[in-house]
Coordinates of all heavy atoms in Angstrom, one line a residue:
T1 N 0.8 -1.2 0.0 CA 0.0 0.0 0.0 C 0.8 1.3 0.0 O 0.3 2.4 -0.1 CB -0.9 0.0 1.2 OG1 -0.1 0.0 2.4 CG2 -1.9 -1.2 1.2
E2 N 2.2 1.1 0.2 CA 3.0 2.3 0.2 C 4.2 2.2 -0.7 O 4.6 1.1 -1.1 CB 3.6 2.5 1.7 CG 2.5 2.8 2.7 CD 3.0 2.9 4.1 OE1 3.5 1.9 4.6 OE2 3.0 4.0 4.7
V3 N 4.8 3.3 -1.1 CA 5.9 3.4 -2.0 C 7.0 4.4 -1.4 O 6.6 5.5 -0.9 CB 5.5 3.9 -3.4 CG1 6.8 4.1 -4.2 CG2 4.6 2.9 -4.0
I4 N 8.2 4.0 -1.4 CA 9.3 4.9 -1.0 C 9.7 5.7 -2.3 O 10.2 5.0 -3.2 CB 10.5 4.2 -0.4 CG1 10.0 3.6 1.0 CG2 11.7 5.1 -0.2 CD1 11.0 2.8 1.7
T5 N 9.6 7.0 -2.3 CA 10.0 7.8 -3.4 C 11.4 8.2 -3.4 O 12.1 8.1 -2.4 CB 9.1 9.0 -3.5 OG1 9.4 9.9 -2.4 CG2 7.6 8.6 -3.4
M6 N 11.9 8.8 -4.5 CA 13.3 9.3 -4.5 C 13.5 10.5 -3.6 O 14.6 10.8 -3.2 CB 13.6 9.7 -6.0 CG 13.6 8.5 -6.9 SD 14.9 7.3 -6.6 CE 14.9 6.3 -8.1
E7 N 12.4 11.2 -3.2 CA 12.5 12.3 -2.4 C 12.4 12.0 -0.9 O 12.7 12.8 0.0 CB 11.4 13.3 -2.7 CG 11.5 14.0 -4.1 CD 11.2 13.1 -5.2 OE1 10.3 12.2 -5.0 OE2 11.8 13.2 -6.3
D8 N 12.0 10.8 -0.5 CA 11.9 10.4 0.9 C 13.2 10.4 1.6 O 14.3 10.0 1.0 CB 11.2 9.0 1.0 CG 9.7 9.1 0.8 OD1 9.1 10.1 1.0 OD2 9.1 8.0 0.4
E9 N 13.2 10.7 2.9 CA 14.4 10.6 3.7 C 14.6 9.2 4.0 O 13.7 8.5 4.5 CB 14.2 11.4 5.0 CG 15.5 11.7 5.8 CD 16.0 10.5 6.5 OE1 15.1 9.7 7.1 OE2 17.2 10.3 6.6
P10 N 15.8 8.6 3.7 CA 16.1 7.2 3.7 C 15.7 6.5 5.0 O 14.8 5.6 5.0 CB 17.6 7.1 3.5 CG 17.9 8.3 2.6 CD 17.0 9.3 3.2
V11 N 16.3 6.8 6.1 CA 16.1 6.1 7.4 C 14.6 6.2 7.8 O 14.0 5.3 8.2 CB 17.1 6.5 8.5 CG1 16.8 5.8 9.8 CG2 18.5 6.2 8.0
R12 N 14.1 7.5 7.8 CA 12.8 7.7 8.2 C 11.7 6.9 7.4 O 10.8 6.3 8.0 CB 12.4 9.2 8.2 CG 11.1 9.5 8.7 CD 10.8 11.0 8.7 NE 11.7 11.8 9.5 CZ 12.6 12.6 9.1 NH1 12.7 12.8 7.8 NH2 13.4 13.3 9.9
S13 N 11.9 6.9 6.1 CA 11.0 6.2 5.2 C 11.0 4.7 5.5 O 9.9 4.0 5.5 CB 11.3 6.5 3.8 OG 12.6 6.0 3.4
I14 N 12.2 4.1 5.8 CA 12.2 2.7 6.1 C 11.5 2.3 7.4 O 10.9 1.3 7.5 CB 13.7 2.2 6.1 CG1 14.4 2.2 4.7 CG2 13.9 0.8 6.7 CD1 13.7 1.3 3.7
R15 N 11.6 3.2 8.3 CA 11.0 3.0 9.6 C 9.5 3.3 9.7 O 8.8 2.6 10.4 CB 11.7 3.8 10.7 CG 13.2 3.4 11.0 CD 13.9 4.3 12.0 NE 15.2 3.8 12.3 CZ 16.1 4.4 13.0 NH1 15.9 5.7 13.4 NH2 17.3 3.9 13.3
R16 N 9.1 4.2 8.9 CA 7.7 4.6 8.9 C 6.8 3.9 7.9 O 5.6 3.7 8.1 CB 7.6 6.1 8.8 CG 8.2 6.9 10.0 CD 8.0 8.4 9.8 NE 8.5 9.1 11.0 CZ 8.5 10.4 11.1 NH1 7.9 11.2 10.2 NH2 9.0 11.0 12.2
K17 N 7.3 3.7 6.7 CA 6.5 3.1 5.6 C 6.7 1.5 5.7 O 7.4 0.9 4.8 CB 6.9 3.6 4.3 CG 6.6 5.1 4.1 CD 6.9 5.6 2.7 CE 6.4 7.0 2.5 NZ 6.6 7.5 1.1
K18 N 6.1 0.9 6.6 CA 6.2 -0.5 6.9 C 5.7 -1.4 5.8 O 6.1 -2.5 5.6 CB 5.6 -0.9 8.2 CG 6.2 -0.2 9.4 CD 7.6 -0.6 9.7 CE 8.1 0.0 10.9 NZ 9.6 -0.4 11.2
D19 N 4.7 -0.8 5.0 CA 4.1 -1.6 3.9 C 4.6 -1.1 2.5 O 4.0 -1.4 1.5 CB 2.6 -1.5 4.0 CG 1.9 -2.7 3.2 OD1 2.4 -3.8 3.3 OD2 1.0 -2.4 2.5
A20 N 5.8 -0.5 2.5 CA 6.4 -0.1 1.3 C 7.0 -1.3 0.6 O 7.5 -2.2 1.2 CB 7.4 1.0 1.5
S21 N 6.9 -1.2 -0.8 CA 7.4 -2.4 -1.5 C 8.9 -2.7 -1.3 O 9.3 -3.8 -1.2 CB 7.2 -2.1 -3.0 OG 7.8 -0.8 -3.4
M22 N 9.7 -1.6 -1.0 CA 11.1 -1.8 -0.8 C 11.3 -2.5 0.6 O 12.2 -3.4 0.8 CB 11.9 -0.5 -0.8 CG 13.4 -0.7 -0.6 SD 14.3 0.9 -0.6 CE 14.1 1.5 -2.2
V23 N 10.6 -2.1 1.6 CA 10.7 -2.6 2.9 C 10.3 -4.1 2.9 O 10.9 -5.0 3.5 CB 9.8 -1.8 3.9 CG1 9.8 -2.5 5.3 CG2 10.4 -0.4 4.1
R24 N 9.1 -4.4 2.3 CA 8.6 -5.8 2.2 C 9.6 -6.7 1.5 O 9.8 -7.8 1.9 CB 7.3 -5.8 1.6 CG 6.2 -5.0 2.3 CD 5.4 -5.9 3.3 NE 4.9 -7.1 2.8 CZ 3.7 -7.1 2.1 NH1 3.0 -6.0 1.9 NH2 3.3 -8.3 1.6
M25 N 10.2 -6.1 0.5 CA 11.2 -6.9 -0.3 C 12.4 -7.3 0.6 O 12.8 -8.4 0.5 CB 11.7 -6.0 -1.5 CG 12.8 -6.6 -2.3 SD 13.6 -5.3 -3.4 CE 14.6 -4.4 -2.1
A26 N 12.9 -6.3 1.3 CA 14.1 -6.6 2.2 C 13.7 -7.6 3.3 O 14.5 -8.4 3.7 CB 14.6 -5.3 2.8
E27 N 12.5 -7.5 3.8 CA 12.0 -8.4 4.8 C 12.0 -9.8 4.3 O 12.2 -10.8 5.0 CB 10.7 -8.0 5.4 CG 10.8 -6.7 6.2 CD 9.4 -6.2 6.7 OE1 8.4 -6.6 6.1 OE2 9.3 -5.5 7.7
A28 N 11.6 -10.0 3.0 CA 11.6 -11.3 2.4 C 13.0 -12.0 2.5 O 13.1 -13.2 2.7 CB 11.1 -11.2 1.0
V29 N 14.0 -11.2 2.3 CA 15.4 -11.7 2.4 C 15.7 -12.0 3.9 O 16.3 -13.1 4.2 CB 16.4 -10.8 1.8 CG1 17.8 -11.3 2.1 CG2 16.2 -10.6 0.3
K30 N 15.4 -11.1 4.8 CA 15.6 -11.3 6.2 C 15.0 -12.6 6.7 O 15.7 -13.3 7.5 CB 15.1 -10.1 7.0 CG 15.3 -10.3 8.5 CD 14.7 -9.1 9.2 CE 14.8 -9.2 10.7 NZ 14.2 -8.1 11.5
Y31 N 13.8 -12.9 6.4 CA 13.1 -14.0 6.9 C 13.2 -15.3 6.1 O 12.5 -16.3 6.3 CB 11.6 -13.6 7.1 CG 11.4 -12.5 8.1 CD1 10.8 -11.3 7.7 CD2 11.8 -12.7 9.4 CE1 10.6 -10.3 8.6 CE2 11.6 -11.7 10.3 CZ 11.0 -10.5 9.9 OH 10.8 -9.5 10.9
G32 N 14.1 -15.2 5.1 CA 14.4 -16.5 4.3 C 13.3 -16.8 3.3 O 13.4 -17.9 2.7
E33 N 12.4 -15.9 2.9 CA 11.4 -16.1 1.9 C 12.0 -15.9 0.5 O 11.5 -16.4 -0.5 CB 10.3 -15.2 2.1 CG 9.5 -15.3 3.4 CD 8.6 -14.2 3.7 OE1 8.4 -13.3 2.8 OE2 8.0 -14.2 4.8
A34 N 13.1 -15.2 0.4 CA 13.8 -14.9 -0.8 C 15.3 -15.0 -0.6 O 15.8 -14.8 0.5 CB 13.5 -13.6 -1.4
D35 N 16.1 -15.4 -1.6 CA 17.5 -15.5 -1.5 C 18.3 -14.2 -1.8 O 19.4 -14.0 -1.5 CB 18.0 -16.6 -2.5 CG 17.3 -17.9 -2.3 OD1 17.5 -18.4 -1.2 OD2 16.7 -18.4 -3.3
A36 N 17.6 -13.3 -2.5 CA 18.2 -12.0 -2.9 C 17.1 -11.0 -3.2 O 15.9 -11.4 -3.3 CB 19.1 -12.2 -4.1
C37 N 17.5 -9.7 -3.2 CA 16.5 -8.7 -3.6 C 17.1 -7.6 -4.5 O 18.3 -7.4 -4.4 CB 15.9 -8.0 -2.4 SG 17.0 -7.2 -1.3

């Protein structure tokens, strides 16, 4: 439901946009659902 844009502040956007495609992608690697992102 969320997107991290090029204008977003990096650390804040990762922490606040929990349903962003980039965050969910990284979580897939963390939890072993994917081998790479």
Side-chain angles (χ1 to χ4, degrees):
T1 59
E2 295 177 294
V3 175
I4 293 176
T5 69
M6 295 297 190
E7 291 73 35
D8 281 334
E9 195 283 323
V11 177
R12 185 180 295 114
S13 61
I14 290 297
R15 290 175 174 170
R16 293 184 178 180
K17 293 187 174 182
K18 299 296 185 181
D19 199 42
S21 51
M22 184 185 291
V23 172
R24 296 272 304 279
M25 173 196 76
E27 288 177 341
V29 175
K30 176 182 179 179
Y31 296 120
E33 298 168 4
D35 303 300
C37 61

